[in-house]
Amino acid sequence: GESVGLHLPTLSVQEGDNSIINCAYSNSASDYFIWYKQESGKGPQFIIDIRSNMDKRQGQRVTVLLNKTVKHLSLQIAATQPGDSAVYFCAENPLGTYKYIFGTGTRLKVLA
Amino acid sequence: DAGITQSPRHKVTETGTPVTLRCHQTENHRYMYWYRQDPGHGLRLIHYSYGVKDTDKGEVSDGYSVSRSKTEDFLLTLESATSSQTSVYFCAISDGRSPTEAFFGQGTRLTVV
């Protein structure tokens, strides 16, 4: 697989702690907001999405929060595990399209 | 992984030569995408397709063309490769039923020297 040596902001978290990854978006007209996870050498994988008419959505060990007032999106990972180490991207899905516009990403490092 | 195959996986080419990258899917998904990934820029959309022979430009389409003559194949062509097109290229597919869940291929590392 392929990966890119990205010079990214890095969040280091102790194993078992909760992680919060933040993202600012730009397009107020986006319909959905999505989080993707990219492990080293692989393509991005879908984690969770949230529609623009929601504030919060929960998945398995993950929660996404949307604050439309300040155009902010966050991903919370509960009880972070070594397998959560990856680069995390937020993405927007502009209304009426099937395009995905990605942010620049955050690297999550889980410390044993 | 969803049934997406990118080829080649690695390529080194000279400036000014044409290059074609292939994305092949076995999922019969309607939507296909080409992204490039570069340090500091994340993933940027080059072109996408919403059906056979239906394509549209993304954020960084200059210097690239695409074709989709059948559902399963989406080709990305660099007509005359430049060093600025050195990147990792990802293909993605989506069925459109979920507007957000796209499946990505393993990527192609292209180096233009």
Side-chain angles (χ1 to χ4, degrees), chain A residues 1-7 32 34 36 38 41-44 46 49 89 93 98-104, chain B residues 9-10 31 33 35 37-40 43 45 48 88 90 94 96 99-102 104-107 109:
Chain A
E2 296 300 330
S3 63
V4 179
L6 302 170
H7 304 292
Y32 282 87
I34 314 112
Y36 278 84
Q38 186 177 26
K42 297 185 178 181
F46 173 89
D49 63 8
F89 293 96
N93 169 230
Y98 281 89
K99 295 194 293 187
Y100 308 90
I101 310 299
F102 283 77
T104 53
Chain B
R9 296 295 311 282
H10 301 268
Y31 298 88
Y33 311 81
Y35 286 87
Q37 188 172 34
D38 305 289
L43 288 143
L45 181 64
Y48 69 106
V88 179
F90 285 98
S94 169
T100 61
E101 187 165 4
F104 283 78
Q106 293 282 72
R109 181 177 293 277

mmCIF file of all heavy atoms in Angstrom, chain A residues 1-7 32 34 36 38 41-44 46 49 89 93 98-104, chain B residues 9-10 31 33 35 37-40 43 45 48 88 90 94 96 99-102 104-107 109:
data_model
loop_
_atom_site.group_PDB
_atom_site.id
_atom_site.type_symbol
_atom_site.label_atom_id
_atom_site.label_comp_id
_atom_site.label_asym_id
_atom_site.label_seq_id
_atom_site.Cartn_x
_atom_site.Cartn_y
_atom_site.Cartn_z
ATOM 1 N N GLY A 1 0.811 -1.190 0.000
ATOM 2 C CA GLY A 1 0.000 0.000 0.000
ATOM 3 C C GLY A 1 0.847 1.243 0.000
ATOM 4 O O GLY A 1 2.060 1.197 0.169
ATOM 5 N N GLU A 2 0.180 2.363 -0.155
ATOM 6 C CA GLU A 2 0.906 3.617 -0.232
ATOM 7 C C GLU A 2 0.565 4.502 0.945
ATOM 8 O O GLU A 2 -0.523 4.450 1.505
ATOM 9 C CB GLU A 2 0.534 4.338 -1.531
ATOM 10 C CG GLU A 2 0.946 3.602 -2.777
ATOM 11 C CD GLU A 2 2.438 3.396 -2.812
ATOM 12 O OE1 GLU A 2 3.172 4.234 -2.265
ATOM 13 O OE2 GLU A 2 2.866 2.372 -3.371
ATOM 14 N N SER A 3 1.477 5.335 1.309
ATOM 15 C CA SER A 3 1.207 6.352 2.305
ATOM 16 C C SER A 3 2.083 7.537 1.968
ATOM 17 O O SER A 3 2.990 7.461 1.161
ATOM 18 C CB SER A 3 1.490 5.857 3.717
ATOM 19 O OG SER A 3 2.851 5.546 3.866
ATOM 20 N N VAL A 4 1.798 8.618 2.587
ATOM 21 C CA VAL A 4 2.545 9.834 2.319
ATOM 22 C C VAL A 4 3.129 10.322 3.626
ATOM 23 O O VAL A 4 2.446 10.327 4.640
ATOM 24 C CB VAL A 4 1.630 10.908 1.727
ATOM 25 C CG1 VAL A 4 2.406 12.192 1.473
ATOM 26 C CG2 VAL A 4 0.993 10.409 0.452
ATOM 27 N N GLY A 5 4.412 10.707 3.598
ATOM 28 C CA GLY A 5 5.047 11.219 4.812
ATOM 29 C C GLY A 5 4.542 12.608 5.118
ATOM 30 O O GLY A 5 5.207 13.597 4.869
ATOM 31 N N LEU A 6 3.351 12.686 5.625
ATOM 32 C CA LEU A 6 2.700 13.968 5.805
ATOM 33 C C LEU A 6 3.252 14.705 7.017
ATOM 34 O O LEU A 6 3.459 14.118 8.055
ATOM 35 C CB LEU A 6 1.196 13.770 5.979
ATOM 36 C CG LEU A 6 0.494 13.040 4.833
ATOM 37 C CD1 LEU A 6 -0.915 12.681 5.218
ATOM 38 C CD2 LEU A 6 0.485 13.897 3.587
ATOM 39 N N HIS A 7 3.499 15.993 6.846
ATOM 40 C CA HIS A 7 3.919 16.822 7.976
ATOM 41 C C HIS A 7 2.657 17.353 8.625
ATOM 42 O O HIS A 7 2.168 18.427 8.283
ATOM 43 C CB HIS A 7 4.811 17.947 7.481
ATOM 44 C CG HIS A 7 5.996 17.425 6.719
ATOM 45 N ND1 HIS A 7 7.005 16.715 7.314
ATOM 46 C CD2 HIS A 7 6.306 17.485 5.404
ATOM 47 C CE1 HIS A 7 7.898 16.375 6.396
ATOM 48 N NE2 HIS A 7 7.504 16.822 5.242
ATOM 49 N N TYR A 32 -23.232 16.796 4.541
ATOM 50 C CA TYR A 32 -22.709 15.806 5.456
ATOM 51 C C TYR A 32 -21.270 16.146 5.798
ATOM 52 O O TYR A 32 -20.538 16.731 4.989
ATOM 53 C CB TYR A 32 -22.726 14.414 4.826
ATOM 54 C CG TYR A 32 -24.072 13.735 4.805
ATOM 55 C CD1 TYR A 32 -24.948 13.953 3.759
ATOM 56 C CD2 TYR A 32 -24.448 12.871 5.817
ATOM 57 C CE1 TYR A 32 -26.186 13.333 3.725
ATOM 58 C CE2 TYR A 32 -25.678 12.229 5.791
ATOM 59 C CZ TYR A 32 -26.546 12.465 4.744
ATOM 60 O OH TYR A 32 -27.765 11.840 4.713
ATOM 61 N N ILE A 34 -17.825 14.070 7.432
ATOM 62 C CA ILE A 34 -17.392 12.682 7.556
ATOM 63 C C ILE A 34 -16.001 12.612 8.164
ATOM 64 O O ILE A 34 -15.170 13.507 7.940
ATOM 65 C CB ILE A 34 -17.328 12.018 6.148
ATOM 66 C CG1 ILE A 34 -18.574 12.325 5.331
ATOM 67 C CG2 ILE A 34 -17.132 10.506 6.278
ATOM 68 C CD1 ILE A 34 -18.344 13.217 4.151
ATOM 69 N N TYR A 36 -12.624 10.106 8.257
ATOM 70 C CA TYR A 36 -11.928 8.964 7.686
ATOM 71 C C TYR A 36 -10.649 8.712 8.479
ATOM 72 O O TYR A 36 -10.037 9.634 9.009
ATOM 73 C CB TYR A 36 -11.544 9.223 6.219
ATOM 74 C CG TYR A 36 -12.666 8.968 5.242
ATOM 75 C CD1 TYR A 36 -13.617 9.936 4.968
ATOM 76 C CD2 TYR A 36 -12.762 7.744 4.583
ATOM 77 C CE1 TYR A 36 -14.650 9.692 4.079
ATOM 78 C CE2 TYR A 36 -13.791 7.495 3.685
ATOM 79 C CZ TYR A 36 -14.725 8.477 3.446
ATOM 80 O OH TYR A 36 -15.741 8.231 2.556
ATOM 81 N N GLN A 38 -6.832 6.861 8.115
ATOM 82 C CA GLN A 38 -5.868 6.311 7.166
ATOM 83 C C GLN A 38 -4.693 5.713 7.923
ATOM 84 O O GLN A 38 -3.908 6.442 8.539
ATOM 85 C CB GLN A 38 -5.381 7.361 6.171
ATOM 86 C CG GLN A 38 -4.488 6.781 5.082
ATOM 87 C CD GLN A 38 -4.066 7.813 4.054
ATOM 88 O OE1 GLN A 38 -4.005 8.996 4.330
ATOM 89 N NE2 GLN A 38 -3.766 7.348 2.842
ATOM 90 N N GLY A 41 0.269 3.103 4.873
ATOM 91 C CA GLY A 41 0.313 2.215 3.720
ATOM 92 C C GLY A 41 -1.028 1.846 3.140
ATOM 93 O O GLY A 41 -1.095 0.997 2.240
ATOM 94 N N LYS A 42 -2.088 2.471 3.623
ATOM 95 C CA LYS A 42 -3.428 2.116 3.142
ATOM 96 C C LYS A 42 -4.194 3.353 2.685
ATOM 97 O O LYS A 42 -3.805 4.481 2.972
ATOM 98 C CB LYS A 42 -4.217 1.423 4.251
ATOM 99 C CG LYS A 42 -3.631 0.112 4.708
ATOM 100 C CD LYS A 42 -4.541 -0.552 5.721
ATOM 101 C CE LYS A 42 -4.001 -1.898 6.151
ATOM 102 N NZ LYS A 42 -4.895 -2.562 7.131
ATOM 103 N N GLY A 43 -5.285 3.105 1.987
ATOM 104 C CA GLY A 43 -6.182 4.183 1.636
ATOM 105 C C GLY A 43 -7.069 4.529 2.818
ATOM 106 O O GLY A 43 -7.197 3.752 3.770
ATOM 107 N N PRO A 44 -7.697 5.713 2.794
ATOM 108 C CA PRO A 44 -8.582 6.107 3.894
ATOM 109 C C PRO A 44 -9.772 5.164 4.046
ATOM 110 O O PRO A 44 -10.256 4.597 3.067
ATOM 111 C CB PRO A 44 -9.051 7.510 3.473
ATOM 112 C CG PRO A 44 -8.009 8.000 2.526
ATOM 113 C CD PRO A 44 -7.528 6.780 1.805
ATOM 114 N N PHE A 46 -13.686 4.890 5.915
ATOM 115 C CA PHE A 46 -14.811 5.592 6.539
ATOM 116 C C PHE A 46 -14.949 5.188 8.006
ATOM 117 O O PHE A 46 -14.853 4.008 8.357
ATOM 118 C CB PHE A 46 -16.080 5.240 5.774
ATOM 119 C CG PHE A 46 -17.354 5.744 6.391
ATOM 120 C CD1 PHE A 46 -17.833 7.004 6.058
ATOM 121 C CD2 PHE A 46 -18.077 4.967 7.280
ATOM 122 C CE1 PHE A 46 -19.014 7.473 6.607
ATOM 123 C CE2 PHE A 46 -19.248 5.430 7.828
ATOM 124 C CZ PHE A 46 -19.726 6.684 7.487
ATOM 125 N N ASP A 49 -20.180 9.447 9.979
ATOM 126 C CA ASP A 49 -20.601 10.701 9.362
ATOM 127 C C ASP A 49 -21.677 11.350 10.229
ATOM 128 O O ASP A 49 -22.221 10.752 11.152
ATOM 129 C CB ASP A 49 -21.119 10.483 7.948
ATOM 130 C CG ASP A 49 -22.362 9.596 7.888
ATOM 131 O OD1 ASP A 49 -22.942 9.250 8.942
ATOM 132 O OD2 ASP A 49 -22.755 9.213 6.769
ATOM 133 N N PHE A 89 -8.810 12.188 8.917
ATOM 134 C CA PHE A 89 -9.236 13.282 8.055
ATOM 135 C C PHE A 89 -10.714 13.574 8.270
ATOM 136 O O PHE A 89 -11.528 12.652 8.331
ATOM 137 C CB PHE A 89 -9.079 12.911 6.580
ATOM 138 C CG PHE A 89 -7.661 12.754 6.126
ATOM 139 C CD1 PHE A 89 -7.065 11.505 6.073
ATOM 140 C CD2 PHE A 89 -6.930 13.866 5.726
ATOM 141 C CE1 PHE A 89 -5.757 11.365 5.639
ATOM 142 C CE2 PHE A 89 -5.625 13.722 5.284
ATOM 143 C CZ PHE A 89 -5.042 12.476 5.249
ATOM 144 N N ASN A 93 -19.183 16.941 2.465
ATOM 145 C CA ASN A 93 -19.932 16.532 1.284
ATOM 146 C C ASN A 93 -20.852 17.686 0.921
ATOM 147 O O ASN A 93 -21.886 17.883 1.558
ATOM 148 C CB ASN A 93 -20.726 15.266 1.590
ATOM 149 C CG ASN A 93 -21.723 14.921 0.514
ATOM 150 O OD1 ASN A 93 -22.897 14.665 0.791
ATOM 151 N ND2 ASN A 93 -21.279 14.903 -0.730
ATOM 152 N N TYR A 98 -21.992 14.429 -4.905
ATOM 153 C CA TYR A 98 -21.363 13.241 -4.351
ATOM 154 C C TYR A 98 -19.858 13.417 -4.295
ATOM 155 O O TYR A 98 -19.101 12.476 -4.395
ATOM 156 C CB TYR A 98 -21.767 11.998 -5.161
ATOM 157 C CG TYR A 98 -23.141 11.518 -4.776
ATOM 158 C CD1 TYR A 98 -24.264 12.013 -5.410
ATOM 159 C CD2 TYR A 98 -23.307 10.612 -3.741
ATOM 160 C CE1 TYR A 98 -25.530 11.604 -5.036
ATOM 161 C CE2 TYR A 98 -24.571 10.182 -3.366
ATOM 162 C CZ TYR A 98 -25.677 10.688 -4.007
ATOM 163 O OH TYR A 98 -26.921 10.272 -3.634
ATOM 164 N N LYS A 99 -19.429 14.648 -4.119
ATOM 165 C CA LYS A 99 -18.008 14.936 -3.941
ATOM 166 C C LYS A 99 -17.674 14.940 -2.456
ATOM 167 O O LYS A 99 -18.534 15.187 -1.606
ATOM 168 C CB LYS A 99 -17.668 16.315 -4.520
ATOM 169 C CG LYS A 99 -17.854 16.411 -6.005
ATOM 170 C CD LYS A 99 -17.203 17.642 -6.574
ATOM 171 C CE LYS A 99 -17.871 18.926 -6.126
ATOM 172 N NZ LYS A 99 -17.299 20.091 -6.841
ATOM 173 N N TYR A 100 -16.408 14.726 -2.166
ATOM 174 C CA TYR A 100 -15.905 14.776 -0.801
ATOM 175 C C TYR A 100 -14.686 15.710 -0.799
ATOM 176 O O TYR A 100 -13.757 15.495 -1.547
ATOM 177 C CB TYR A 100 -15.481 13.392 -0.306
ATOM 178 C CG TYR A 100 -16.546 12.340 -0.477
ATOM 179 C CD1 TYR A 100 -16.621 11.594 -1.638
ATOM 180 C CD2 TYR A 100 -17.487 12.125 0.522
ATOM 181 C CE1 TYR A 100 -17.602 10.642 -1.815
ATOM 182 C CE2 TYR A 100 -18.477 11.166 0.357
ATOM 183 C CZ TYR A 100 -18.526 10.435 -0.808
ATOM 184 O OH TYR A 100 -19.506 9.502 -0.977
ATOM 185 N N ILE A 101 -14.743 16.719 0.052
ATOM 186 C CA ILE A 101 -13.639 17.662 0.164
ATOM 187 C C ILE A 101 -12.956 17.405 1.507
ATOM 188 O O ILE A 101 -13.574 17.557 2.558
ATOM 189 C CB ILE A 101 -14.134 19.119 0.094
ATOM 190 C CG1 ILE A 101 -15.050 19.327 -1.120
ATOM 191 C CG2 ILE A 101 -12.950 20.078 0.082
ATOM 192 C CD1 ILE A 101 -14.399 19.070 -2.454
ATOM 193 N N PHE A 102 -11.682 17.030 1.443
ATOM 194 C CA PHE A 102 -10.975 16.603 2.640
ATOM 195 C C PHE A 102 -10.190 17.724 3.291
ATOM 196 O O PHE A 102 -9.662 18.611 2.617
ATOM 197 C CB PHE A 102 -10.001 15.474 2.294
ATOM 198 C CG PHE A 102 -10.664 14.142 2.105
ATOM 199 C CD1 PHE A 102 -11.343 13.857 0.929
ATOM 200 C CD2 PHE A 102 -10.610 13.185 3.098
ATOM 201 C CE1 PHE A 102 -11.964 12.620 0.754
ATOM 202 C CE2 PHE A 102 -11.220 11.949 2.931
ATOM 203 C CZ PHE A 102 -11.903 11.669 1.764
ATOM 204 N N GLY A 103 -10.062 17.654 4.609
ATOM 205 C CA GLY A 103 -9.138 18.503 5.350
ATOM 206 C C GLY A 103 -7.730 17.925 5.260
ATOM 207 O O GLY A 103 -7.498 16.899 4.627
ATOM 208 N N THR A 104 -6.782 18.582 5.926
ATOM 209 C CA THR A 104 -5.374 18.194 5.791
ATOM 210 C C THR A 104 -4.965 17.061 6.711
ATOM 211 O O THR A 104 -3.918 16.474 6.514
ATOM 212 C CB THR A 104 -4.451 19.397 6.020
ATOM 213 O OG1 THR A 104 -4.794 20.006 7.272
ATOM 214 C CG2 THR A 104 -4.612 20.425 4.909
ATOM 215 N N ARG B 9 0.921 0.122 -9.169
ATOM 216 C CA ARG B 9 1.031 0.541 -7.773
ATOM 217 C C ARG B 9 2.170 1.537 -7.592
ATOM 218 O O ARG B 9 2.136 2.376 -6.686
ATOM 219 C CB ARG B 9 1.262 -0.675 -6.885
ATOM 220 C CG ARG B 9 0.087 -1.654 -6.890
ATOM 221 C CD ARG B 9 -1.176 -1.047 -6.276
ATOM 222 N NE ARG B 9 -0.881 -0.425 -4.998
ATOM 223 C CZ ARG B 9 -0.715 -1.098 -3.875
ATOM 224 N NH1 ARG B 9 -0.840 -2.405 -3.854
ATOM 225 N NH2 ARG B 9 -0.444 -0.452 -2.770
ATOM 226 N N HIS B 10 3.168 1.418 -8.420
ATOM 227 C CA HIS B 10 4.299 2.346 -8.402
ATOM 228 C C HIS B 10 4.686 2.635 -9.846
ATOM 229 O O HIS B 10 4.637 1.734 -10.694
ATOM 230 C CB HIS B 10 5.528 1.734 -7.696
ATOM 231 C CG HIS B 10 5.274 1.327 -6.287
ATOM 232 N ND1 HIS B 10 5.504 2.165 -5.227
ATOM 233 C CD2 HIS B 10 4.795 0.177 -5.762
ATOM 234 C CE1 HIS B 10 5.193 1.539 -4.104
ATOM 235 N NE2 HIS B 10 4.760 0.334 -4.401
ATOM 236 N N TYR B 31 -20.389 5.813 -8.563
ATOM 237 C CA TYR B 31 -19.492 6.950 -8.454
ATOM 238 C C TYR B 31 -18.041 6.486 -8.295
ATOM 239 O O TYR B 31 -17.744 5.577 -7.521
ATOM 240 C CB TYR B 31 -19.870 7.821 -7.253
ATOM 241 C CG TYR B 31 -21.245 8.416 -7.359
ATOM 242 C CD1 TYR B 31 -22.359 7.716 -6.894
ATOM 243 C CD2 TYR B 31 -21.449 9.659 -7.957
ATOM 244 C CE1 TYR B 31 -23.640 8.244 -7.018
ATOM 245 C CE2 TYR B 31 -22.721 10.195 -8.076
ATOM 246 C CZ TYR B 31 -23.803 9.483 -7.609
ATOM 247 O OH TYR B 31 -25.066 10.003 -7.730
ATOM 248 N N TYR B 33 -13.863 8.174 -8.144
ATOM 249 C CA TYR B 33 -13.127 9.401 -7.857
ATOM 250 C C TYR B 33 -11.630 9.166 -7.997
ATOM 251 O O TYR B 33 -11.125 8.079 -7.718
ATOM 252 C CB TYR B 33 -13.375 9.864 -6.408
ATOM 253 C CG TYR B 33 -14.821 9.921 -5.995
ATOM 254 C CD1 TYR B 33 -15.506 8.773 -5.604
ATOM 255 C CD2 TYR B 33 -15.516 11.141 -5.970
ATOM 256 C CE1 TYR B 33 -16.833 8.827 -5.215
ATOM 257 C CE2 TYR B 33 -16.849 11.188 -5.577
ATOM 258 C CZ TYR B 33 -17.493 10.035 -5.201
ATOM 259 O OH TYR B 33 -18.810 10.089 -4.806
ATOM 260 N N TYR B 35 -8.222 11.029 -6.414
ATOM 261 C CA TYR B 35 -7.641 12.000 -5.499
ATOM 262 C C TYR B 35 -6.120 11.922 -5.598
ATOM 263 O O TYR B 35 -5.559 10.879 -5.925
ATOM 264 C CB TYR B 35 -8.022 11.698 -4.050
ATOM 265 C CG TYR B 35 -9.440 12.033 -3.677
ATOM 266 C CD1 TYR B 35 -10.467 11.122 -3.881
ATOM 267 C CD2 TYR B 35 -9.758 13.262 -3.108
ATOM 268 C CE1 TYR B 35 -11.778 11.424 -3.531
ATOM 269 C CE2 TYR B 35 -11.065 13.576 -2.746
ATOM 270 C CZ TYR B 35 -12.056 12.646 -2.963
ATOM 271 O OH TYR B 35 -13.344 12.953 -2.612
ATOM 272 N N GLN B 37 -2.717 12.800 -3.037
ATOM 273 C CA GLN B 37 -2.374 13.079 -1.639
ATOM 274 C C GLN B 37 -0.940 13.563 -1.559
ATOM 275 O O GLN B 37 -0.008 12.868 -1.992
ATOM 276 C CB GLN B 37 -2.560 11.833 -0.760
ATOM 277 C CG GLN B 37 -2.393 12.132 0.722
ATOM 278 C CD GLN B 37 -2.763 10.952 1.598
ATOM 279 O OE1 GLN B 37 -2.564 9.798 1.238
ATOM 280 N NE2 GLN B 37 -3.332 11.243 2.772
ATOM 281 N N ASP B 38 -0.767 14.743 -1.000
ATOM 282 C CA ASP B 38 0.549 15.375 -0.890
ATOM 283 C C ASP B 38 0.745 15.908 0.516
ATOM 284 O O ASP B 38 -0.231 16.314 1.169
ATOM 285 C CB ASP B 38 0.661 16.550 -1.870
ATOM 286 C CG ASP B 38 0.365 16.141 -3.292
ATOM 287 O OD1 ASP B 38 1.198 15.436 -3.868
ATOM 288 O OD2 ASP B 38 -0.706 16.511 -3.813
ATOM 289 N N PRO B 39 1.988 15.959 0.991
ATOM 290 C CA PRO B 39 2.264 16.512 2.322
ATOM 291 C C PRO B 39 1.705 17.924 2.457
ATOM 292 O O PRO B 39 1.897 18.768 1.576
ATOM 293 C CB PRO B 39 3.793 16.514 2.393
ATOM 294 C CG PRO B 39 4.207 15.432 1.460
ATOM 295 C CD PRO B 39 3.209 15.462 0.338
ATOM 296 N N GLY B 40 0.996 18.169 3.546
ATOM 297 C CA GLY B 40 0.457 19.498 3.813
ATOM 298 C C GLY B 40 -0.844 19.810 3.118
ATOM 299 O O GLY B 40 -1.445 20.856 3.371
ATOM 300 N N LEU B 43 -5.937 15.094 1.039
ATOM 301 C CA LEU B 43 -6.462 14.514 -0.198
ATOM 302 C C LEU B 43 -7.197 15.586 -0.987
ATOM 303 O O LEU B 43 -8.081 16.252 -0.459
ATOM 304 C CB LEU B 43 -7.437 13.385 0.127
ATOM 305 C CG LEU B 43 -6.794 12.123 0.657
ATOM 306 C CD1 LEU B 43 -7.660 11.497 1.714
ATOM 307 C CD2 LEU B 43 -6.553 11.141 -0.477
ATOM 308 N N LEU B 45 -9.358 16.374 -4.578
ATOM 309 C CA LEU B 45 -10.123 15.735 -5.639
ATOM 310 C C LEU B 45 -9.664 16.237 -7.005
ATOM 311 O O LEU B 45 -9.624 17.441 -7.261
ATOM 312 C CB LEU B 45 -11.614 16.029 -5.440
ATOM 313 C CG LEU B 45 -12.584 15.418 -6.439
ATOM 314 C CD1 LEU B 45 -12.556 13.892 -6.359
ATOM 315 C CD2 LEU B 45 -14.000 15.936 -6.179
ATOM 316 N N TYR B 48 -14.044 13.323 -10.855
ATOM 317 C CA TYR B 48 -14.902 12.237 -10.428
ATOM 318 C C TYR B 48 -15.896 11.889 -11.529
ATOM 319 O O TYR B 48 -16.070 12.651 -12.489
ATOM 320 C CB TYR B 48 -15.617 12.551 -9.109
ATOM 321 C CG TYR B 48 -16.668 13.621 -9.177
ATOM 322 C CD1 TYR B 48 -18.021 13.309 -9.120
ATOM 323 C CD2 TYR B 48 -16.310 14.963 -9.258
ATOM 324 C CE1 TYR B 48 -18.988 14.297 -9.153
ATOM 325 C CE2 TYR B 48 -17.273 15.959 -9.295
ATOM 326 C CZ TYR B 48 -18.606 15.618 -9.235
ATOM 327 O OH TYR B 48 -19.558 16.605 -9.278
ATOM 328 N N VAL B 88 0.951 10.653 -4.487
ATOM 329 C CA VAL B 88 0.267 9.377 -4.319
ATOM 330 C C VAL B 88 -1.174 9.587 -4.765
ATOM 331 O O VAL B 88 -1.853 10.516 -4.298
ATOM 332 C CB VAL B 88 0.307 8.877 -2.861
ATOM 333 C CG1 VAL B 88 -0.445 7.553 -2.736
ATOM 334 C CG2 VAL B 88 1.752 8.704 -2.410
ATOM 335 N N PHE B 90 -5.035 8.203 -5.241
ATOM 336 C CA PHE B 90 -6.014 7.268 -4.716
ATOM 337 C C PHE B 90 -7.279 7.312 -5.551
ATOM 338 O O PHE B 90 -7.789 8.387 -5.889
ATOM 339 C CB PHE B 90 -6.373 7.590 -3.260
ATOM 340 C CG PHE B 90 -5.329 7.213 -2.275
ATOM 341 C CD1 PHE B 90 -4.436 8.172 -1.805
ATOM 342 C CD2 PHE B 90 -5.233 5.917 -1.801
ATOM 343 C CE1 PHE B 90 -3.457 7.836 -0.877
ATOM 344 C CE2 PHE B 90 -4.255 5.572 -0.871
ATOM 345 C CZ PHE B 90 -3.367 6.532 -0.415
ATOM 346 N N SER B 94 -18.128 4.894 -4.691
ATOM 347 C CA SER B 94 -19.278 5.086 -3.804
ATOM 348 C C SER B 94 -20.522 4.612 -4.542
ATOM 349 O O SER B 94 -20.644 4.844 -5.754
ATOM 350 C CB SER B 94 -19.390 6.568 -3.437
ATOM 351 O OG SER B 94 -20.613 6.839 -2.797
ATOM 352 N N GLY B 96 -23.569 5.660 -3.838
ATOM 353 C CA GLY B 96 -24.560 6.725 -3.916
ATOM 354 C C GLY B 96 -25.728 6.534 -2.973
ATOM 355 O O GLY B 96 -26.461 7.482 -2.701
ATOM 356 N N PRO B 99 -24.527 8.785 0.966
ATOM 357 C CA PRO B 99 -23.790 9.882 0.313
ATOM 358 C C PRO B 99 -22.398 10.084 0.861
ATOM 359 O O PRO B 99 -21.646 10.875 0.325
ATOM 360 C CB PRO B 99 -24.678 11.099 0.591
ATOM 361 C CG PRO B 99 -25.436 10.737 1.813
ATOM 362 C CD PRO B 99 -25.649 9.265 1.765
ATOM 363 N N THR B 100 -22.051 9.393 1.927
ATOM 364 C CA THR B 100 -20.781 9.704 2.557
ATOM 365 C C THR B 100 -19.761 8.577 2.543
ATOM 366 O O THR B 100 -18.588 8.828 2.711
ATOM 367 C CB THR B 100 -21.007 10.093 4.031
ATOM 368 O OG1 THR B 100 -21.609 8.986 4.712
ATOM 369 C CG2 THR B 100 -21.900 11.304 4.141
ATOM 370 N N GLU B 101 -20.175 7.355 2.391
ATOM 371 C CA GLU B 101 -19.225 6.261 2.552
ATOM 372 C C GLU B 101 -18.583 5.915 1.228
ATOM 373 O O GLU B 101 -19.176 5.254 0.380
ATOM 374 C CB GLU B 101 -19.887 5.032 3.150
ATOM 375 C CG GLU B 101 -18.884 3.935 3.489
ATOM 376 C CD GLU B 101 -19.441 2.870 4.408
ATOM 377 O OE1 GLU B 101 -20.640 2.936 4.726
ATOM 378 O OE2 GLU B 101 -18.675 1.990 4.808
ATOM 379 N N ALA B 102 -17.365 6.378 1.055
ATOM 380 C CA ALA B 102 -16.565 6.041 -0.121
ATOM 381 C C ALA B 102 -15.504 5.029 0.288
ATOM 382 O O ALA B 102 -14.991 5.063 1.401
ATOM 383 C CB ALA B 102 -15.904 7.287 -0.702
ATOM 384 N N PHE B 104 -11.802 3.388 -0.633
ATOM 385 C CA PHE B 104 -10.588 3.794 -1.317
ATOM 386 C C PHE B 104 -9.723 2.590 -1.701
ATOM 387 O O PHE B 104 -9.690 1.578 -0.992
ATOM 388 C CB PHE B 104 -9.757 4.715 -0.415
ATOM 389 C CG PHE B 104 -10.293 6.113 -0.346
ATOM 390 C CD1 PHE B 104 -11.378 6.427 0.442
ATOM 391 C CD2 PHE B 104 -9.693 7.130 -1.085
ATOM 392 C CE1 PHE B 104 -11.879 7.723 0.500
ATOM 393 C CE2 PHE B 104 -10.172 8.425 -1.031
ATOM 394 C CZ PHE B 104 -11.267 8.716 -0.241
ATOM 395 N N GLY B 105 -9.019 2.759 -2.804
ATOM 396 C CA GLY B 105 -8.012 1.797 -3.200
ATOM 397 C C GLY B 105 -6.739 1.968 -2.392
ATOM 398 O O GLY B 105 -6.662 2.819 -1.505
ATOM 399 N N GLN B 106 -5.736 1.165 -2.735
ATOM 400 C CA GLN B 106 -4.475 1.171 -1.982
ATOM 401 C C GLN B 106 -3.527 2.278 -2.422
ATOM 402 O O GLN B 106 -2.521 2.514 -1.760
ATOM 403 C CB GLN B 106 -3.778 -0.185 -2.132
ATOM 404 C CG GLN B 106 -4.520 -1.337 -1.473
ATOM 405 C CD GLN B 106 -4.299 -1.351 0.028
ATOM 406 O OE1 GLN B 106 -4.811 -0.511 0.752
ATOM 407 N NE2 GLN B 106 -3.535 -2.314 0.501
ATOM 408 N N GLY B 107 -3.813 2.924 -3.499
ATOM 409 C CA GLY B 107 -2.986 4.039 -3.930
ATOM 410 C C GLY B 107 -1.936 3.659 -4.957
ATOM 411 O O GLY B 107 -1.506 2.507 -5.037
ATOM 412 N N ARG B 109 1.798 5.243 -6.214
ATOM 413 C CA ARG B 109 2.845 6.250 -6.023
ATOM 414 C C ARG B 109 3.477 6.559 -7.376
ATOM 415 O O ARG B 109 4.064 5.684 -7.999
ATOM 416 C CB ARG B 109 3.910 5.763 -5.048
ATOM 417 C CG ARG B 109 5.007 6.794 -4.790
ATOM 418 C CD ARG B 109 6.006 6.308 -3.756
ATOM 419 N NE ARG B 109 5.418 6.188 -2.428
ATOM 420 C CZ ARG B 109 5.284 7.195 -1.579
ATOM 421 N NH1 ARG B 109 5.688 8.413 -1.905
ATOM 422 N NH2 ARG B 109 4.749 6.999 -0.398
#
